[in-house]
């Protein structure tokens, strides 16, 4: 294996990073702190100089101004990590680099690129003899510096030279790096996209849990922060729960109010959640939790419409739960069960994407690298890893014995939460749709039979029967007898 030793003896850099905004500079610093010589490049030299001025003592950096200088500073095969905005800016940098690089060199796109762009770019670069690696990188600014989760796709040969470097800068959990080769071409960015979709669902569920404690139980924000802090010592332990306690504890210096009360309640989105849902629609996978989360952000941002609708009547509302402590436990169970649904759906989408594109993604390995570094890191991912280790072909995470037991144990709570929220007029789109998904999945019969009947009535779309093979049509506008097609 072509392992790359840290600390170059040639005086050349083992890796180059172009695009030195916060994520790019932090990754560059992370490489340098691990003993690699890092060539730096940015469109405007000011960012390169700032990095060297502020952090130059952290390791070996080579300052370059032009792409030609940058490429010349790298040992062969050259490895360049692009950390620029996804879309057209990434294409522009790739083109410029490809013109200056030679066959066998490796271009890594570490941005949040759309996986279909990665598939296109990988084909174009491989036609020129270059290796192109689309790598999902998660963990935000802090992760980039101290250890992100890295999801590299692209040719397996590139991973031989690149993998050890990426693994050394990635987060480590129980001695294992949060980085593994995901599969060919767009697979790395695909799984990063679904990661972000799950991140959306996780955040929406946390938001609904918070909203319920606030509106159904009238708990002060500081107490809700304590509940999340306590939950973070249980099976819900995760980065997002941890930072929820932090955000809810923050008091606005100007007004003395909880910060959350002075933040405008319109959620932004850069697009990865929406991409996940579009892909789910194309693959025919019901990732309802993620879809509800994306739509909830959209609704929150429909400011004018929300303002106009504010006076709409709620109707007769139910009673708030009398036993607050019990209802908090119910919310916790509902959160956990809905979270299992969101992950189950996300992993189904990964299996479907993998089958569609022939990537052979190992879902257990993915759960393993998501245990640290990334935004959705959670204790719970150990259980997902175990579930796929026990049965790599698991039809749904909900059927893994551990998750099945956990969800079944919380089902009564889950129903109480969804029904109480509905009776109190508190929106819980992700809790409710996750519960409906669960009920639909376990149902013996679904009303899809009626849908088929209706389709046959108005469009002669035919149907199958439960009691015999074949395709059938009822002569609805004739004598209503059935004919075999
Ligand atoms: C990560 C994050 C990161 C980023 C998303 C959030 O894994 O480190 O997911 O990629 O925070 O872009 O995107 P939204 O702006 O769409 O919430």
């Amino acid at each position: 294996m072509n392992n790359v030793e840290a600390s170059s003896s040639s005086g050349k850099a083992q890796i180059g990073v172009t695009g030195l905004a916060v994520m790019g500079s932090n990754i560059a610093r992370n490489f340098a702190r691990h003993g690699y010589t890092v060539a730096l490049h940015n469109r405007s030299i000011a960012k390169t100089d700032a990095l060297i001025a502020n952090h130059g003592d952290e390791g070996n950096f080579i300052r370059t101004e032009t792409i030609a200088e940058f490429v010349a500073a790298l040992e062969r095969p050259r490895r360049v990590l692009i950390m620029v905005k996804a879309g057209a800016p990434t294409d522009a940098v790739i083109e410029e680099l490809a013109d200056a690089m030679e066959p066998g060199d490796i271009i890594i796109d570490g941005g949040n690129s759309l996986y279909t762009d990665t598939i296109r770019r990988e084909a174009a670069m491989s036609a020129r003899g270059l290796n192109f690696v689309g790598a999902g990188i998660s963990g935000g600014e802090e992760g980039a510096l101290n250890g992100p989760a890295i999801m590299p796709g692209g040719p397996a040969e590139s991973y031989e030279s690149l993998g050890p470097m990426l693994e050394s800068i990635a987060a480590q959990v129980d001695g294992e790096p949060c980085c593994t080769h995901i599969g060919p071409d767009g697979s790395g960015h695909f799984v990063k996209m679904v990661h972000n979709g799950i991140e959306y669902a996780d955040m929406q569920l946390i938001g609904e849990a918070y909203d319920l404690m606030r509106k159904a139980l009238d708990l002060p924000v500081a107490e809700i922060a304590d509940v999340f802090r306590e939950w973070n010592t249980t099976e819900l332990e995760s980065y997002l729960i941890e930072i929820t306690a932090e955000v809810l504890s923050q008091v606005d210096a100007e007004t003395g109010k909880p910060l959350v009360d002075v933040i405008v309640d319109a959620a932004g989105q850069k697009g990865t959640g929406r991409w996940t849902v579009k892909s789910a629609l194309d693959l025919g996978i019901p990732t309802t939790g993620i879809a509800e989360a994306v739509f909830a952000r959209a609704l929150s941002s429909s400011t004018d419409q929300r303002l106009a609708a504010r006076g709409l009547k709620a109707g007769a509302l139910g009673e708030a739960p009398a036993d607050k402590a019990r209802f908090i436990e119910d919310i916790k169970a509902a959160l956990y069960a809905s979270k299992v649904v969101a992950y189950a759906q996300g992993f189904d989408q990964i299996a479907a994407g993998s089958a569609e594109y022939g990537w052979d993604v190992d879902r257990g390995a993915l759960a393993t690298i998501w245990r640290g570094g990334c935004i959705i890191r959670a204790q719970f991912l150990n259980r997902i890893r175990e579930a796929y280790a026990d049965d790599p072909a698991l039809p749904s995470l909900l059927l893994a014995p551990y998750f099945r037991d956990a969800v079944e144990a919380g089902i009564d709570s889950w129903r109480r939460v969804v029904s109480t929220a509905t009776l109190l007029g508190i929106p819980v789109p992700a809790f409710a749709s996750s519960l409906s998904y669960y009920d639909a999945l376990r149902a013996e019969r679904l009303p899809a039979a009626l849908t088929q009947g209706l389709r046959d009535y108005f469009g002669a779309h035919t149907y199958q029967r439960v009691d015999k093979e074949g395709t059938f049509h009822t002569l609805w506008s004739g004598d209503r007898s059935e004919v075999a097609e």
Side-chain angles (χ1 to χ4, degrees):
M1 170 150 126
N2 178 14
N3 206 331
V4 178
E5 293 299 323
S7 189
S8 164
S9 50
S10 61
K12 295 217 173 201
Q14 291 111 337
I15 183 103
V17 179
T18 179
L20 300 176
V22 188
M23 286 294 286
S25 14
N26 282 3
I27 290 261
R29 290 170 60 197
N30 189 348
F31 275 119
R33 287 171 172 194
H34 280 85
Y36 296 107
T37 300
V38 186
L40 301 174
H41 176 264
N42 194 66
R43 214 151 43 97
S44 74
I45 192 72
K47 284 216 166 82
T48 315
D49 286 336
L51 198 169
I52 291 174
N54 298 327
H55 307 287
D57 58 348
E58 289 178 7
N60 298 326
F61 295 106
I62 301 179
R63 174 190 185 275
T64 72
E65 290 197 27
T66 62
I67 285 283
E69 250 186 274
F70 180 56
V71 168
L74 296 162
E75 68 175 31
R76 288 187 192 167
R78 300 180 181 88
R79 302 173 204 92
V80 170
L81 173 62
I82 302 176
M83 293 299 295
V84 304
K85 215 169 156 351
T90 298
D91 274 317
V93 177
I94 291 171
E95 274 310 309
E96 219 186 326
L97 277 170
D99 288 344
M101 289 171 99
E102 288 173 304
D105 288 349
I106 307 173
I107 299 178
I108 310 131
D109 172 14
N112 266 334
S113 289
L114 182 59
Y115 71 97
T116 45
D117 285 345
T118 306
I119 293 175
R120 166 179 60 75
R121 289 167 182 154
E122 205 267 336
M125 291 301 114
S126 106
R128 296 169 71 164
L130 293 166
N131 290 309
F132 186 80
V133 172
I137 301 182
S138 176
E141 297 171 15
E142 203 270 336
L145 185 61
N146 297 318
I150 311 178
M151 296 147 250
E157 311 85 77
S158 345
Y159 196 77
E160 282 181 18
S161 113
L162 196 62
M165 297 181 74
L166 297 180
E167 289 180 11
S168 72
I169 66 152
Q172 314 284 320
V173 174
D174 299 338
E176 286 182 76
C178 295
C179 173
T180 192
H181 182 235
I182 302 296
D185 57 72
S187 58
H189 277 137
F190 183 87
V191 301
K192 173 58 169 51
M193 174 190 77
V194 178
H195 163 285
N196 280 27
I198 294 174
E199 172 185 306
Y200 275 52
D202 248 350
M203 288 164 71
Q204 175 63 25
L205 292 168
I206 288 173
E208 291 177 17
Y210 150 78
D211 207 33
L212 279 167
M213 283 187 257
R214 204 131 189 214
K215 294 179 183 155
L217 299 180
D218 208 18
L219 285 194
V221 177
E223 276 181 41
I224 302 176
D226 289 340
V227 171
F228 279 101
R229 204 164 283 123
E230 202 275 313
W231 285 355
N232 201 39
T233 64
T234 70
E235 68 278 12
L236 278 174
E237 183 193 332
S238 62
Y239 173 67
L240 285 170
I241 296 275
E242 177 194 329
I243 66 169
T244 298
E246 295 297 314
V247 172
L248 292 177
S249 300
Q250 185 71 14
V251 174
D252 174 46
E254 217 171 297
T255 57
K257 293 182 181 169
L259 179 69
V260 73
D261 283 352
V262 298
I263 296 179
V264 173
D265 60 345
Q269 47 183 316
K270 294 201 200 76
T272 46
R274 194 165 53 231
W275 292 347
T276 312
V277 178
K278 282 185 178 173
S279 145
L281 290 171
D282 287 340
L283 292 167
I285 301 297
T287 51
T288 55
I290 299 172
E292 287 298 350
V294 174
F295 288 135
R297 288 198 193 186
L299 194 153
S300 76
S301 301
S302 305
T303 314
D304 293 345
Q305 202 180 29
R306 285 178 58 200
L307 207 59
R310 230 176 237 181
L312 291 175
K313 278 203 172 64
L317 296 178
E319 295 285 319
D323 187 340
K324 287 193 182 188
R326 186 178 102 140
F327 197 62
I328 292 172
E329 280 306 303
D330 283 347
I331 297 172
K332 182 182 174 206
L335 178 55
Y336 191 80
S338 305
K339 190 175 155 112
V340 177
V341 166
Y343 279 70
Q345 295 176 340
F347 275 84
D348 283 353
Q349 184 171 351
I350 287 165
S354 176
E356 171 81 13
Y357 294 100
W359 288 328
D360 202 19
V361 175
D362 176 345
R363 289 176 294 174
L366 190 58
T368 303
I369 68 162
W370 281 354
R371 293 179 307 158
C374 64
I375 304 296
I376 64 169
R377 62 185 181 260
Q379 200 216 47
F380 160 100
L381 279 149
N382 274 310
R383 299 295 186 178
I384 300 183
R385 163 192 156 104
E386 283 161 20
Y388 286 117
D390 289 347
D391 181 2
L394 194 64
S396 166
L397 266 185
L398 285 159
L399 296 168
Y402 175 83
F403 289 118
R404 181 187 186 133
D405 289 351
V407 171
E408 285 177 353
I411 186 71
D412 298 348
S413 294
W414 201 4
R415 292 195 193 287
R416 272 196 296 273
V417 166
V418 171
S419 56
T420 305
T422 306
L423 289 172
L424 292 173
I426 301 168
V428 284
F431 279 158
S433 83
S434 303
L435 179 55
S436 283
Y437 173 85
Y438 176 79
D439 281 332
L441 197 64
R442 60 175 199 86
E444 212 164 296
R445 291 279 294 160
L446 288 171
L450 175 58
T451 306
Q452 287 295 81
L454 295 171
R455 291 177 68 240
D456 190 57
Y457 186 102
F458 63 67
H461 293 298
T462 72
Y463 51 86
Q464 266 85 46
R465 294 181 57 100
V466 296
D467 50 1
K468 53 184 171 191
E469 290 289 310
T471 302
F472 301 91
H473 167 58
T474 291
L475 299 169
W476 296 103
S477 44
D479 65 359
R480 302 208 166 182
S481 62
E482 184 179 76
V483 290
E485 290 287 304

